[in-house]
Amino acid sequence: DGEAVQGVEWVEKCVRVFCAMRTGSDVDFDLSPAAVASSHLLTVLDVPAAASKPFIGGKSGARMLDECNSKDLIAAFASETAKSSANSSEDADSPAFEPLPGMDVEAKYGAEWHKAKVLEVSDAIIKVQWGFDDSEEEVVRSKVRRKGEPAEELEKLIIIGQARKRLELELRVLNLVETKVPGGGSSRSRPGGTAELGWDVLKLEGKGRLGRIIGKAGSVRKNLARACGSSLEYMGSEAHIVGTEEQRSRTAALIELLMGLASETSYIARVPEVLEPICTRVEVPGAAMEALTGSKRERLSQIEDASGTLA
């Protein structure tokens, strides 16, 4: 959609990503800055390797496939070769690390970094001699770093589709990252945007009241987002909201309204003006309240879940 000018080459890239997504595998993809900037349907998200690709993607990529199917997107992690190519392109635009023959470096062997010496250098592959046994091996450029450099290893997730849906998947993935690497997701959020689409971050005060905006199995969070038309995730003590400016404002106002209640059974004194367009008042006879709410509000919660509302 909207990529006809790129023709067959773009379609081939999309097909490769689609096939990788369906099989839960990585994909070779041109991640050079020029290639990434040439498409308005593409996002490349840096994901800390410590968060684990299998965790983000799910068993055989099932989690990622479900997320993409629900959002009409295609997505897959870049292969080691693609990541190495991207790193090489970034190196060309900055005074970053450039390994040279004879240089003492650190290279990744399995899951660990070890001392090594550079023997030969090419665009994507570097031949090294391992310090632990003097053996030689060719490794991709992304697995070689300065000696003693505590560089964070990153995976690259390729996301293709419409802008709103891409941003929603980015939010979802970063929330998963946050559960594995505290701070690793929230630190990569992209606050800002326009009236049509953006990302807001709301600081949450009063940790003892967070349950009111989360709910059992996340039910309140889901209904809150559905009611406001936004996408919503909680990371640490922050609420991350994606949507139009109006949707984001309504979501923030509803969160603050729920957090401000003295208890879950408290009455709302006043509905914020920004919420009035999505608010309906229904008069309920006092004698019918127990029948409406049920034990511990169970019946009313079922109504909320079925309708995507909060009452």
Side-chain angles (χ1 to χ4, degrees), residues 228-265:
C228 298
S230 64
S231 290
L232 170 66
E233 298 287 354
Y234 302 128
M235 301 188 215
S237 60
E238 298 174 340
H240 291 251
I241 310 163
V242 166
T244 66
E245 184 175 30
E246 183 177 61
Q247 291 166 346
R248 298 183 327 255
S249 297
R250 287 174 176 172
T251 303
L254 190 48
I255 288 174
E256 291 175 338
L257 180 64
L258 294 176
M259 291 280 286
L261 295 177
S263 70
E264 293 183 2
T265 57

Side-chain angles (χ1 to χ4, degrees), residues 133-238:
D133 66 357
D134 291 331
S135 63
E136 299 177 2
E137 184 178 357
E138 291 184 342
V139 298
V140 295
R141 183 178 285 261
S142 61
K143 292 189 175 182
V144 177
R145 70 185 187 189
R146 289 186 182 90
K147 188 175 180 180
E149 180 182 11
E152 180 181 29
E153 186 176 0
L154 299 173
E155 301 291 350
K156 292 187 178 292
L157 180 63
I158 299 162
I159 308 172
I160 298 175
Q162 296 301 318
R164 167 81 182 244
K165 298 300 182 180
R166 295 200 317 268
L167 201 59
E168 289 177 349
L169 181 58
E170 185 174 335
L171 171 61
R172 177 63 181 145
V173 170
L174 291 182
N175 182 63
L176 291 172
V177 169
E178 188 75 12
T179 65
K180 296 288 283 186
V181 185
S186 56
S187 64
R188 287 180 168 77
S189 64
R190 297 191 287 135
T194 65
E196 290 73 31
L197 179 62
W199 184 318
D200 285 353
V201 178
L202 176 67
K203 295 289 185 180
L204 301 175
E205 303 293 339
K207 291 185 177 181
R209 299 180 179 181
L210 291 180
R212 299 177 195 173
I213 58 173
I214 298 174
K216 185 178 180 180
S219 59
V220 174
R221 175 188 64 80
K222 294 173 185 176
N223 291 334
L224 198 158
R226 288 172 64 190
C228 298
S230 64
S231 290
L232 170 66
E233 298 287 354
Y234 302 128
M235 301 188 215
S237 60
E238 298 174 340

Side-chain angles (χ1 to χ4, degrees), residues 3 11 27 57 76 84 105 113 118 120-121 135 148 153 159 168 260 280 302 310:
E3 293 290 340
V11 174
V27 62
S84 180
V105 296
W113 291 90
V118 176
E120 299 176 9
V121 178
S135 63
E153 186 176 0
I159 308 172
E168 289 177 349
T280 297
Q302 292 173 348
L310 291 173

Side-chain angles (χ1 to χ4, degrees), residues 13 16 29 65 67 73 78 87 110 124 127 129 143 150 169-170 203 210 233 269 281 286:
K13 289 180 179 180
R16 288 200 301 273
F29 198 94
L65 181 59
E67 290 286 349
L73 297 170
N87 292 337
K127 187 174 183 179
Q129 181 180 49
K143 292 189 175 182
L169 181 58
E170 185 174 335
K203 295 289 185 180
L210 291 180
E233 298 287 354
R281 293 169 175 80

